[in-house]
Amino acid sequence: MNTNSNSHTNKPEIILTGDRATGPLHLGHYVGSLKQRVSLQHIHDQTILVADMQGLTDNAHNPSKVSSNILNVVADYLAVGIDPTKTTICLQSQLPVLAELTMFYSNLVSIARLERNPTVKSEIQNKEFGRSIPAGFLTYPISQAADITAFNATLVPVGDDQLPMLEQTNEIVRKVNSLAGKPILNECRPLLSNASRLPSTDGKSKMSKSMGNAINLGATEKEIRAAVKSMYTDPNHLRIEDPGKVEGNIVFTYLDAFHTDTNYVSQLKEHYQRGGLGDGQTKKVLEECLQEMLRPIRERRADLLDDKAQLIEILRNGTQVSRERTQKVLFDVKDVFGLNII
Amino acid sequence: MNTNSNSHTNKPEIILTGDRATGPLHLGHYVGSLKQRVSLQHIHDQTILVADMQGLTDNAHNPSKVSSNILNVVADYLAVGIDPTKTTICLQSQLPVLAELTMFYSNLVSIARLERNPTVKSEIQNKEFGRSIPAGFLTYPISQAADITAFNATLVPVGDDQLPMLEQTNEIVRKVNSLAGKPILNECRPLLSNASRLPSTDGKSKMSKSMGNAINLGATEKEIRAAVKSMYTDPNHLRIEDPGKVEGNIVFTYLDAFHTDTNYVSQLKEHYQRGGLGDGQTKKVLEECLQEMLRPIRERRADLLDDKAQLIEILRNGTQVSRERTQKVLFDVKDVFGLNII
């Protein structure tokens, strides 16, 4: 029995988190999750899953988009300070337990329930799948439940748009526990990030590599400069001497997110609002701040990617640890279905 | 590359077949598949999958219906003459490769495609699932494709109602091969049974234990007697001297299926049709025939179930062989998706 206690270590919470390996990570990930993970690893028992299988649910016909990004994502993690001696980093496709649990849980969730999931619903709309949605995509909340429960996670860092996924997981947990007649799986709680979502550089759509509106952690000096230069500001701020708007001005949103001197940013905002401060100047401040922050990350990332064997070794070790660790849950779930026969 | 040649042995075809472990096997299975498997094992490389996971797709809330029947089904196999030194018998839930392949294939099949599958469509109607159909049930054709391709089966014995399942499998095979740019999976061909489907004893519905209209391979003398006694004949054959109908008369259908002396059965039919032969007499002939045929099967079955450790050992060995054998296909499929990284 494993109810809300962490038998694996004596750290207070078991955290499972992860990323779809469909592209290198960017500043949105940094603000939204990576920074938080770097702190959490000192307090809790944290596992990060590189979700290559989930990445394939809508990229099966372009699989290199996933496979070519697995080591990039691991390098991103290490470059920002995630420490593989404190955080377990593992690869989803190398954990058959996750596929096995997904098969069991699939029998406990109806198609109608999956179609009602608001997160999946809006993703289906965005991707314009219609009824041609791949089965693996519609059912990926079940696979996420397998990920979370395999580690018996108690805490899952999510954005508020992901809350329906955790509800789905906890529904499955309750069904399994009810069939078992005892609590063999933990219900998980969301850990909502206190950082608000970082907007894209164009201020319009979701940040993504394909949209060219994100600054990757490995961005070159030139890419950073270009990205800041093209950043959305106040379209009505035509002359330097005019008063400008700070709300919705992406340069200031980024300064709030990344500049360490909040007083200085406040002064800049006031100056901009009363007029006399040009976008060129605010962008220069932001660019310097981002260049300074990203330079060491980019350098560490490049060094890491120069030694792929080491990255593979780290991922292999974390995956091996995870493989052993998740066996017990599979055994318990199989027991519920009476299948520990041979 | 493994195209339509059997690298595992030098037998001409790789056969995959199996049964959902949701009840003991009955005379319908005997006529429809078991007899054929006993012959096929001498010629081909045959694997029988005890499909416990598939059994759970519509029994997850009553799992003992599956778990309690696994060893019964294995005993049924051995009792009718399936020889574990000639046929590999393995347990689906103990082969993680099948779950892993299912996850990959799920990304290549749309929900719309699954909903168009005529076999699944009619099963959904029969089970009155509506939209509350479990995800695992709607997607089980994908899991079947995983079973078939994991063994690189070239020949799959099926009833004609199962042909759409093989079409689905071959569609997946073609998609994987197209992504791979070379044929890594075999397309399979159906092996249609030349025996027509054995009707239920009531002549009305599909044979099933729950309907009480099937004669199990382990049926007692008394159960056989009662089943034959209540068998559907010709409802208009009211007096012995009246002419009777042979078509749709289940007693004659069973005599055709099981009596070894076909001349004698022809004589009985003629006699019955011209009048003067009572249902009591024809049933007596059938009962004797079934008692004689089922006695040794029942006895072997009981002996086998008396030594569960031996049954478990047979299933464990077959599963271990299958586990090793299916690794190559998983490796090849993972390669298609670029995931043999660590």
Side-chain angles (χ1 to χ4, degrees):
Chain A
M1 223 174 76
N2 236 325
T3 52
N4 287 308
S5 74
N6 185 349
S7 58
H8 183 65
T9 65
N10 45 23
K11 293 182 171 177
E13 302 276 1
I14 306 175
I15 293 181
L16 183 79
T17 179
D19 297 282
R20 287 162 49 102
T22 49
L25 304 183
H26 51 58
L27 287 181
H29 297 106
Y30 185 77
V31 170
S33 59
L34 298 175
K35 260 174 75 180
Q36 190 189 35
R37 292 178 192 170
V38 173
S39 327
L40 290 171
Q41 68 184 345
H42 300 289
I43 313 164
H44 299 298
D45 172 10
Q46 178 172 261
T47 298
I48 303 183
L49 187 69
V50 180
D52 54 350
M53 292 303 285
Q54 195 186 315
L56 282 176
T57 59
D58 54 347
N59 290 295
H61 294 280
N62 181 20
S64 68
K65 187 177 169 190
V66 175
S67 57
S68 68
N69 277 303
I70 292 172
L71 295 184
N72 285 336
V73 166
V74 177
D76 286 330
Y77 293 155
L78 303 181
V80 298
I82 289 170
D83 176 352
T85 69
K86 294 197 163 58
T87 295
T88 307
I89 304 173
C90 61
L91 187 61
Q92 195 178 29
S93 66
Q94 293 295 322
L95 294 165
V97 165
L98 305 180
E100 294 183 81
L101 288 176
T102 301
M103 296 295 286
F104 282 108
Y105 298 167
S106 289
N107 303 328
L108 300 172
V109 181
S110 74
I111 291 290
R113 174 65 183 85
L114 291 166
E115 288 175 340
R116 275 200 308 274
N117 185 313
T119 315
V120 176
K121 234 178 182 167
S122 79
E123 281 171 342
I124 292 173
Q125 268 167 2
N126 291 345
K127 291 175 200 285
E128 294 173 6
F129 272 136
R131 297 302 294 164
S132 71
I133 178 175
F137 191 82
L138 182 65
T139 58
Y140 91 75
I142 302 177
S143 154
Q144 273 198 350
D147 301 340
I148 293 168
T149 56
F151 289 89
N152 243 323
T154 52
L155 208 56
V156 180
V158 286
D160 48 12
D161 58 330
Q162 295 286 312
L163 288 174
M165 301 309 245
L166 300 197
E167 275 172 41
Q168 176 69 84
T169 295
N170 286 339
E171 262 178 51
I172 291 172
V173 166
R174 287 190 291 271
K175 281 188 182 177
V176 171
N177 288 345
S178 151
L179 277 168
K182 59 185 178 184
I184 60 165
L185 300 178
N186 288 330
E187 287 196 43
C188 62
R189 286 167 295 117
L191 177 66
L192 287 162
S193 170
N194 46 17
S196 45
R197 184 182 287 277
L198 191 72
S200 57
T201 55
D202 59 12
K204 272 186 252 173
S205 41
K206 210 176 160 180
M207 215 179 291
S208 85
K209 201 195 168 195
S210 55
M211 304 288 290
N213 59 11
I215 299 174
N216 290 338
L217 296 176
T220 61
E221 252 186 86
K222 221 174 131 185
E223 285 168 342
I224 296 168
R225 186 169 310 123
V228 174
K229 213 165 219 170
S230 71
M231 218 171 238
Y232 183 84
T233 58
D234 172 2
N236 299 317
H237 185 236
L238 301 175
R239 294 177 310 176
I240 293 181
E241 55 269 35
D242 287 343
K245 261 181 75 178
V246 160
E247 297 76 36
N249 185 320
I250 304 298
V251 174
F252 283 103
T253 314
Y254 274 56
L255 282 170
D256 280 336
F258 299 106
H259 206 289
T260 46
D261 188 343
T262 51
N263 282 335
Y264 177 61
V265 173
S266 293
Q267 284 168 25
L268 282 182
K269 283 183 184 175
E270 279 166 34
H271 192 173
Y272 191 82
Q273 282 170 318
R274 72 174 179 263
L277 184 60
D279 287 319
Q281 285 163 284
T282 58
K283 285 183 172 178
K284 191 163 169 272
V285 176
L286 175 63
E287 196 210 319
E288 270 168 22
C289 150
L290 292 181
Q291 295 286 13
E292 197 184 328
M293 187 188 101
L294 287 174
R295 186 176 306 109
I297 293 176
R298 176 177 60 241
E299 285 169 5
R300 276 197 298 273
R301 193 179 181 280
D303 287 347
L304 287 158
L305 284 167
D306 266 351
D307 186 0
K308 290 223 167 67
Q310 193 206 345
L311 287 178
I312 289 172
E313 195 55 25
I314 287 169
L315 196 52
R316 191 181 282 148
N317 288 342
T319 303
Q320 184 53 33
V321 167
S322 303
R323 213 175 273 139
E324 287 158 21
R325 202 179 155 174
T326 52
Q327 283 306 322
K328 165 102 174 66
V329 167
L330 179 64
F331 183 89
D332 288 348
V333 169
K334 274 194 170 169
D335 225 37
V336 171
F337 293 99
L339 295 184
N340 289 317
I341 290 175
I342 65 167
Chain B
M1 225 175 74
N2 235 324
T3 50
N4 286 310
S5 74
N6 185 350
S7 58
H8 183 64
T9 64
N10 45 23
K11 292 182 172 179
E13 302 275 1
I14 306 175
I15 293 181
L16 184 79
T17 180
D19 297 282
R20 288 161 49 101
T22 50
L25 303 184
H26 51 58
L27 287 182
H29 298 105
Y30 186 77
V31 171
S33 59
L34 298 175
K35 260 174 73 180
Q36 190 190 35
R37 292 178 191 170
V38 173
S39 325
L40 291 171
Q41 70 184 344
H42 300 288
I43 313 163
H44 299 299
D45 173 10
Q46 176 172 262
T47 298
I48 302 182
L49 187 69
V50 180
D52 54 349
M53 293 303 285
Q54 195 187 316
L56 282 177
T57 59
D58 54 347
N59 290 295
H61 293 280
N62 181 20
S64 68
K65 186 177 169 189
V66 175
S67 57
S68 68
N69 277 303
I70 292 172
L71 295 184
N72 285 337
V73 166
V74 177
D76 286 330
Y77 292 154
L78 304 182
V80 298
I82 288 169
D83 175 352
T85 69
K86 295 197 161 59
T87 295
T88 307
I89 304 173
C90 61
L91 187 60
Q92 195 179 28
S93 65
Q94 293 294 322
L95 294 165
V97 164
L98 305 180
E100 295 183 80
L101 287 176
T102 301
M103 297 295 286
F104 282 109
Y105 298 167
S106 290
N107 304 327
L108 300 173
V109 181
S110 74
I111 291 290
R113 175 65 184 86
L114 291 167
E115 289 175 339
R116 275 201 308 274
N117 185 311
T119 314
V120 176
K121 234 177 182 168
S122 77
E123 280 171 342
I124 292 173
Q125 270 168 1
N126 291 344
K127 291 176 199 287
E128 294 173 4
F129 273 137
R131 296 306 290 164
S132 70
I133 178 172
F137 191 83
L138 182 65
T139 58
Y140 91 75
I142 302 176
S143 155
Q144 272 198 351
D147 301 340
I148 293 169
T149 57
F151 289 89
N152 243 323
T154 52
L155 208 55
V156 180
V158 287
D160 49 11
D161 58 329
Q162 295 286 312
L163 289 173
M165 301 309 243
L166 300 198
E167 276 172 41
Q168 176 69 84
T169 295
N170 285 339
E171 261 178 52
I172 291 172
V173 166
R174 287 191 291 271
K175 282 188 181 175
V176 171
N177 288 345
S178 151
L179 279 168
K182 58 184 177 185
I184 59 165
L185 300 178
N186 288 330
E187 288 197 41
C188 62
R189 286 167 293 118
L191 178 65
L192 288 161
S193 171
N194 45 17
S196 45
R197 184 183 287 277
L198 192 71
S200 57
T201 56
D202 60 11
K204 272 186 252 173
S205 41
K206 209 178 161 180
M207 216 180 290
S208 85
K209 200 194 167 192
S210 56
M211 304 289 289
N213 59 10
I215 299 174
N216 291 337
L217 295 177
T220 62
E221 252 187 86
K222 220 174 133 185
E223 285 168 340
I224 297 168
R225 187 168 310 126
V228 174
K229 214 166 217 168
S230 72
M231 218 170 238
Y232 182 83
T233 57
D234 172 2
N236 299 316
H237 186 236
L238 300 174
R239 292 176 310 176
I240 292 180
E241 57 269 35
D242 287 344
K245 261 180 75 178
V246 161
E247 296 75 37
N249 185 321
I250 305 298
V251 174
F252 282 103
T253 314
Y254 274 56
L255 282 170
D256 279 336
F258 298 107
H259 205 289
T260 46
D261 188 342
T262 50
N263 283 334
Y264 178 60
V265 173
S266 294
Q267 284 167 24
L268 282 180
K269 283 183 183 173
E270 279 167 35
H271 192 176
Y272 192 80
Q273 283 170 318
R274 72 174 177 262
L277 183 60
D279 287 320
Q281 284 162 283
T282 59
K283 285 183 171 176
K284 192 164 167 268
V285 175
L286 176 62
E287 196 211 319
E288 269 167 22
C289 150
L290 292 180
Q291 294 288 12
E292 196 184 330
M293 186 188 99
L294 287 174
R295 185 176 308 110
I297 294 177
R298 176 176 60 240
E299 285 169 4
R300 277 196 297 273
R301 192 179 182 279
D303 287 348
L304 288 158
L305 285 167
D306 265 351
D307 186 0
K308 290 223 167 65
Q310 193 208 345
L311 287 179
I312 288 172
E313 196 54 26
I314 288 169
L315 195 53
R316 191 181 282 147
N317 288 343
T319 303
Q320 184 53 32
V321 167
S322 303
R323 213 176 272 138
E324 286 158 22
R325 203 179 153 172
T326 52
Q327 282 306 322
K328 165 100 174 66
V329 168
L330 179 65
F331 183 89
D332 288 347
V333 170
K334 274 195 168 166
D335 226 36
V336 172
F337 293 99
L339 295 184
N340 289 317
I341 290 175
I342 67 168

